[in-house]
Amino acid sequence: MNEKEEPMNMNVTPPVEPVTEFEVHLPPDRKHPKWLVPLIAGGTAVVVLAAVGTGGYLYWNHNQLTAASEECATSYDKAVKAQKKLTEYLESDAVKTAVTVKDSEVKDAKTVAVLTSTVKTAEKTKTTIPECPSGNLTDIKAMTKEIDGLATAYSRTVSEVADRADAVNGSKLDKIVADATKILNDSKGRVKDDKTRTVLENAIKSKDEKTISDAVKAVNDSIKAKSDADAKAGAEKEAQAADNAAQAQADNSGSYMGGTTGGYTGYTGGGYTQSQGGGGYTYTPQQSTGGSTGGGYTPTPQPQPAPQPSQGGGGDDGYEDICWAVDTSGKPGVQVPCN
C-alpha cells in the first residue's frame, strides 16, 4: 500500500434515521420497527381530513344560510313595495273617479260592476307580510317562497284594478263619442254657426273627452241661439200679421161707415094699400127718418100706417091688401098682408 491506512475505529456509532414528530414521544432507548412509520402517518392523515371535512361543512352551511337570508330579505322588500303600490293605487284619483262612474255614463254597464267587485276584493287583501326567519335553511326558503307569492299577488291585483278602471274609462269615452256623433248628425241645419259642427267633428276624431265635451257645448249653444232667433222672428212675423189684419179691418170699417153721405136711416111705412071705395090701391111712399148721418143706413122702427080705404066704391075687388114690412136690422123691406 502506498498510503498508510489508518486503523478502523471500532467504537464509531452507526447513523441514526430521522425521527418524526410522532417518534419524539418514544423512549430514547427504544426503536420502533420501520413498518410502523407509514401506519402512523396514515392515521394522522385520516384525522386531518376528518377535521377539514367538518370545518368545510360548517363553512358551506354558513354560506348557504347567508345566501338564503339575503334572498328572503330581497323578497320581503319586494313584497312591501308591491303592497304599498297597491294601497296607493286604490287611493288614487284614477280609481276613485272610475268607481264613481254611473251605469248610464258608460256604453257597457258591466265594466262598472266588474271594477267595483275587483276593488272590494283588493281592499281585503292580506296586508301583513311575515318576517324572514333565521337559523334554519329550510324555514328560510319556505318563508321566502311565501313572501314571493304575496309580492306577486299584490302586483297582479294592481294590474287587475288598473285594467278594470281602464275598461270603465274606455266605455265612458265610447258613450261620449256615440252621443257626440248623434248630436253632430242631428244638428245639421239647426245651428246658427255651422263652424261649431266642424269643430265637433274634429273633436270626435281626437277621442279626447274634454275636447269633445267643449265642442258639444258649443254646438248646443249654437242650436239654442238659432232656435231663439227663429222664435223671435216668428213672433215678430205673427205680430206684424196681426197688425196688418187689424189695419185692414179698420180700413174696411171706415169705408163702409163714412163712405155714404146723405143716406137714409131707414124706411118706414110705404107700400100699396087698398082704397076704401074698393076702386084700387093707393101707394104710400116709404118715409125717411132723417137726413144723412155719414155712417150708412140705420133703420128706425116706425109704426105701420093703417090701411087707407080707396076713394072708389065699396066692396072687395078681389085683391089682397099688401103692406111693406121693414126689418129693424137694416135689411130690405118685404111685402106682407096688411091684416
Side-chain angles (χ1 to χ4, degrees):
M1 296 177 60
N2 296 332
E3 295 181 0
K4 185 178 179 180
E5 295 181 0
E6 294 182 359
M8 183 177 296
N9 188 357
M10 301 302 294
N11 296 324
V12 175
T13 305
V16 180
E17 295 179 359
V19 179
T20 65
E21 59 179 338
F22 296 99
E23 293 175 329
V24 294
H25 301 289
L26 296 174
D29 57 343
R30 293 184 60 183
K31 301 295 180 180
H32 56 76
K34 292 183 179 181
W35 59 265
L36 187 59
V37 175
L39 180 59
I40 296 174
T44 303
V46 172
V47 174
V48 172
L49 288 176
V52 171
T54 302
Y57 172 77
L58 293 176
Y59 179 77
W60 174 84
N61 188 57
H62 173 74
N63 287 344
Q64 288 290 98
L65 287 174
T66 301
S69 296
E70 291 177 352
E71 182 180 358
C72 185
T74 301
S75 297
Y76 180 84
D77 292 340
K78 183 179 179 181
V80 170
K81 291 179 180 179
Q83 182 191 60
K84 182 179 179 181
K85 184 177 181 180
L86 174 60
T87 301
E88 291 175 350
Y89 187 68
L90 291 175
E91 296 176 354
S92 66
D93 292 339
V95 174
K96 288 182 178 179
T97 301
V99 297
T100 57
V101 175
K102 300 178 181 178
D103 293 350
S104 59
E105 297 176 333
V106 295
K107 193 172 183 179
D108 184 4
K110 292 181 180 179
T111 58
V112 177
V114 173
L115 173 63
T116 302
S117 177
T118 303
V119 170
K120 289 182 178 179
T121 301
E123 291 173 345
K124 297 178 181 179
T125 302
K126 184 177 180 180
T127 57
T128 302
I129 302 175
E131 298 285 346
C132 294
S134 61
N136 188 296
L137 184 61
T138 302
D139 293 343
I140 294 175
K141 288 185 176 181
M143 185 57 67
T144 301
K145 185 176 181 180
E146 180 179 347
I147 294 174
D148 284 340
L150 289 176
T152 301
Y154 291 141
S155 299
R156 183 174 59 250
T157 302
V158 170
S159 298
E160 289 178 352
V161 175
D163 290 343
R164 305 300 186 269
D166 290 343
V168 170
N169 293 329
S171 185
K172 181 180 179 182
L173 180 59
D174 290 342
K175 188 173 189 304
I176 290 174
V177 170
D179 292 345
T181 301
K182 187 176 186 302
I183 292 175
L184 177 65
N185 296 334
D186 294 345
S187 63
K188 186 176 182 179
R190 296 174 54 205
V191 293
K192 188 174 183 180
D193 183 4
D194 199 61
K195 292 180 180 179
T196 57
R197 297 183 67 254
T198 302
V199 173
L200 176 58
E201 183 178 6
N202 294 331
I204 292 173
K205 294 179 180 178
S206 72
K207 292 187 177 182
D208 181 78
E209 182 175 344
K210 187 177 185 309
T211 303
I212 295 175
S213 178
D214 293 343
V216 167
K217 183 179 183 303
V219 170
N220 287 332
D221 290 345
S222 187
I223 291 175
K224 185 177 185 302
K226 186 176 187 306
S227 177
D228 292 345
D230 292 346
K232 182 178 180 181
E236 291 177 351
K237 185 177 181 180
E238 290 180 359
Q240 184 63 42
D243 290 343
N244 293 341
Q247 184 64 37
Q249 184 177 3
D251 292 344
N252 293 336
S253 175
S255 174
Y256 175 77
M257 296 298 294
T260 302
T261 59
Y264 295 96
T265 59
Y267 295 93
T268 59
Y272 291 91
T273 57
Q274 187 177 16
S275 61
Q276 293 180 356
Y281 289 89
T282 302
Y283 175 76
T284 302
Q286 295 175 338
Q287 299 177 356
S288 171
T289 58
S292 64
T293 62
Y297 297 98
T298 302
T300 302
Q302 295 290 339
Q304 296 183 0
Q308 299 293 329
S310 63
Q311 297 298 327
D316 189 358
D317 60 358
Y319 292 94
E320 182 180 7
D321 294 337
I322 299 299
C323 295
W324 285 90
V326 180
D327 193 336
T328 58
S329 65
K331 294 182 180 180
V334 295
Q335 293 179 352
V336 295
C338 292
N339 58 359

